[in-house]
Amino acid sequence: MKDLNDTIDSPIEGEYTRRDFLTNAGKGILAATVLSSIASCTADAQEGGSKSPTDKDIHANSVTKPIELKPLEDKSEKPQEPLPAPLEPGKRVGFALVGLGNLTLAELLPAFGACQYAKVTALVSGNPEKAKKVAKQYGVPEKSIYSYQNFDNIKNNPDVQVVYIVLPNSMHEEFTIRSAKAGKHVLCEKPMSINSQSAQRMIEACEQAGKKLMIAYRIQYEPNNKKAKEWTRSEKMGKVKVIDAANNQNQGDPGQWRLKKALAGGGSLPDIGIYCLNTIRYLLGEEPVQVTGTIYSTPNDPRFKEVEETVLFQLQFPSGVLANCTTSYGVHDAQWYRCYADKGGYFGLDPAFSYQGLQIDGAQVQDGLDLKLKSSAGEKNQFALEIDHMAQCVLQDKKPFTPGEEGLQDHLIMEAIYESARTGKPVKLKKIDKQDAFRGTSPDDLKIA
Ligand code: NAD
């Protein structure tokens, strides 16, 4: 095969241009400025008791324009993206993070430094010493630290508009309901909960309270996966007919909550297999009408006493697309998918679901030649994009792109996969004709000009 590095639309991989250097240098400076301004703003609020803006004030003041610079490159180059136009810290949406575990400390708190519309204003933890230390690091005032017990007092904190739940899966429902009752919007980590009944109760609680509920499906906000979705839907290489996907990792400590059924709800399927399921539904905009599943767990492996190790599952979509998915807690890392189309081409991402380094690759027949292709839609902080989407939905009073209904649908499909594995038979699902049936406002429609 001949190499055709990105004949489709991006710079050749490995080249580092003057523009890249300037953009990256600019990002570093901006991130540092944003972090220090958030810290000083929250410190100001603590000392001076400055009045928090209402939703209406924030919306009225939210229109901000990017700084404009002269283009650096010739017209033949890929157009430069507009520079970031972050909101002033005082006008940003305030988030409380519940649970100071791995994801919060390693990814989410740092991601706020790349956010344009969101800031951290409160922390909720079972460990007061840890919470105090983290609060200092991120400029959160001590009065805005809560325990799991006194969490409901957050209703009196006007600096918090959204609660971001980053706890073991079985605790998502309780904290969603308590947040809605406290008058706060909810951003909840995936999987939404431990089963569809619980997910339904979360939706109802937020509806009753008139609050937004978003599930943190970061992949649906990530630019390379978005590009793959556009290629799928525009039939760039013909109609996609078959999709293969895998998300595997070797889980270590047998004592961790992910391997306890009561806390996790299940094993590899709801934790990592959900990425294959949710991303394929996103690529196609369709809902499966039939699923099959097969489960295997190594006997006597202490990790798989309560939850499953490996699940192979297949999804059949109304348009005829078949998807073949693998997820395992017992083999080495793999996180990829590939879409096979009917006009001599395939494309996919490898890695597809990791936090960094995502890129599209594939191959296409052109003039009788098999051409390899690579393409990149650029590297963005997926968590910052997802958090900013929630903030923009609050500022503009829109339904999030991945609302509670999107999380509930994944639970219903996963339950059908488990049923198929149990019975050894395919399980049919209700046919849903509408495209993107469970999604809310597209991130593209929320851009602040
Ligand atoms: P973690 O184990 O690192 O952190 C869990 C936090 O919950 C800790 O602060 C822990 O102290 C607290 N906690 C409270 N009660 C607990 C209990 N009974 N047992 C165990 N911990 C308890 O987990 P994590 O990796 O941060 O995952 C948290 C959530 O985030 C999960 O729902 C997970 O699926 C999700 N997650 C999402 C992504 C993503 O890419 N979107 C990545 C990792 C995790």
Side-chain angles (χ1 to χ4, degrees), residues 99-104 130 148 166-169 171-172 189-191 216 218 257-258 263 271 275 355 383:
L100 302 181
N102 282 304
L103 185 66
T104 300
K130 185 190 202 179
Y148 299 128
V166 202
L167 291 167
N169 310 337
M171 299 171 77
H172 292 182
E189 262 309 327
K190 52 51 63 182
R218 60 184 164 81
W257 68 260
R258 279 184 169 77
L263 287 165
D271 188 31
Y275 283 89
Y355 301 154
F383 295 101

Side-chain angles (χ1 to χ4, degrees), residues 42 45 50-55 58 90 92-98 112 118-124 140-141 143-146 151-165 175 178-180 182-187 211 390 394:
T42 36
S50 71
K51 194 172 164 282
S52 282
T54 63
D55 278 11
I58 289 170
R92 294 185 189 201
V93 176
F95 281 65
L97 286 169
V98 190
F112 276 90
K119 62 182 175 183
V120 186
T121 49
L123 300 174
V124 185
V140 174
K143 67 175 167 58
S144 294
I145 298 175
Y146 299 87
F151 168 75
D152 309 278
N153 295 339
I154 208 162
K155 68 174 185 289
N156 301 320
N157 190 336
D159 296 336
V160 175
Q161 286 157 289
V162 178
V163 174
Y164 190 168
I165 300 167
F175 278 86
R178 288 170 74 181
S179 303
K184 307 297 177 187
H185 303 290
V186 176
L187 173 57
K211 294 291 144 190
M390 182 63 174
V394 171

